[in-house]
Amino acid sequence: NAGVTQTPKFQVLKTGQSMTLQCAQDMNHEYMSWYRQDPGMGLRLIHYSVGAGITDQGEVPNGYNVSRSTTEDFPLRLLSAAPSQTSVYFCASSYPINEAFFGQGTRLTVV
Amino acid sequence: DAKTTQPNSMESNEEEPVHLPCNHSTISGTDYIHWYRQLPSQGPEYVIHGLTSNVNNRMASLAIAEDRKSSTLILHRATLRDAAVYYCILSPGNTNAGKSTFGDGTTLTVKP
């Protein structure tokens, strides 16, 4: 039982490049979310999903796309990376209302 | 969306109880109160959650005010490993569930 797995752990991008951050969970959780955490700050919700085929925007969705084709996977796509997207990205999954499990994070630097 | 307010930082001595407050005056009737903590360079870790009644688990206790506009996370005997950022969040219990938002949290320092 691996829990929530995020890949890669570290990534450096050039401005304008695109990439996909992967998130997979093996707990059959309905809910999955993506957060970003800037240095010294709390987590801000980017996008979330309450089930396969259902996604919605959080607080800071601009510049990011998501899709949820399976229960297990919830990838986050950066369309055209900008330095303002330098951050640590966390993926989380849970059953409704219950405790959320977080991945170890992806540390992204955009130069 | 309902927001929470927490003190930026708190200090405690090792092996003493710690009471971490959280205000959520705009909480709705279907919002659950969750607490998470985050150790340096790690993802957040679940601590406890509740709706109306006080809750206890092996990690902590959660005391919820009768009007639900505030709550307190209680660590009964702080250890050095409890030093972390503690987040109080509101998790909708209705069809908007999954849209949980974090504030900046309380940084807890535990002194030996």
Side-chain angles (χ1 to χ4, degrees):
Chain A
N1 189 337
V4 178
T5 303
Q6 291 185 236
T7 55
K9 288 185 171 52
F10 301 93
Q11 183 71 47
V12 178
L13 287 180
K14 293 182 179 179
T15 297
Q17 287 185 316
S18 63
M19 80 160 293
T20 298
L21 278 62
Q22 301 292 343
C23 176
Q25 53 96 2
D26 60 0
M27 297 170 281
N28 202 33
H29 286 163
E30 296 173 52
Y31 295 166
M32 296 187 74
S33 308
W34 275 103
Y35 295 86
R36 61 175 288 175
Q37 185 173 36
D38 299 332
M41 307 288 286
L43 284 77
R44 290 185 291 169
L45 182 65
I46 305 171
H47 286 285
Y48 67 101
S49 169
V50 297
I54 306 170
T55 64
D56 204 348
Q57 297 181 350
E59 304 171 83
V60 289
N62 292 341
Y64 307 94
N65 273 358
V66 292
S67 61
R68 182 107 179 264
S69 56
T70 67
T71 299
E72 294 77 20
D73 300 301
F74 192 42
L76 178 73
R77 284 182 288 277
L78 279 70
L79 308 174
S80 177
S84 61
Q85 293 178 305
T86 293
S87 191
V88 180
Y89 291 83
F90 289 101
C91 177
S93 75
S94 71
Y95 289 120
I97 300 170
N98 286 341
E99 64 177 290
F101 292 82
F102 285 79
Q104 288 301 301
T106 294
R107 189 173 299 273
L108 176 68
T109 302
V110 182
V111 298
Chain B
D1 296 329
K3 299 295 184 185
T4 62
T5 304
Q6 301 176 250
N8 288 335
S9 62
M10 292 186 66
E11 284 190 353
S12 172
N13 293 319
E14 196 175 12
E15 298 190 2
E16 289 186 354
V18 182
H19 290 235
L20 298 168
C22 181
N23 286 320
H24 29 78
S25 58
T26 60
I27 189 171
S28 75
T30 58
D31 285 341
Y32 283 74
I33 302 159
H34 285 238
W35 283 82
Y36 288 82
R37 71 180 185 182
Q38 186 176 25
L39 300 170
S41 301
Q42 294 191 22
E45 172 190 33
Y46 169 83
V47 178
I48 199 167
H49 78 281
L51 183 61
T52 56
S53 303
N54 294 345
V55 183
N56 300 300
N57 67 19
R58 62 175 180 82
M59 289 182 70
S61 295
L62 175 60
I64 301 173
E66 194 169 335
D67 62 5
R68 300 209 326 126
K69 293 185 177 181
S70 65
S71 61
T72 302
L73 177 71
I74 303 165
L75 306 179
H76 297 286
R77 288 181 70 231
T79 69
L80 297 179
R81 290 175 295 176
D82 291 323
V85 179
Y86 286 78
Y87 296 99
C88 166
I89 70 170
L90 301 181
S91 182
N94 55 15
T95 54
N96 211 22
K99 193 176 181 180
S100 298
T101 55
F102 285 67
D104 290 335
T106 296
T107 299
L108 176 66
T109 302
V110 180
K111 296 181 290 185

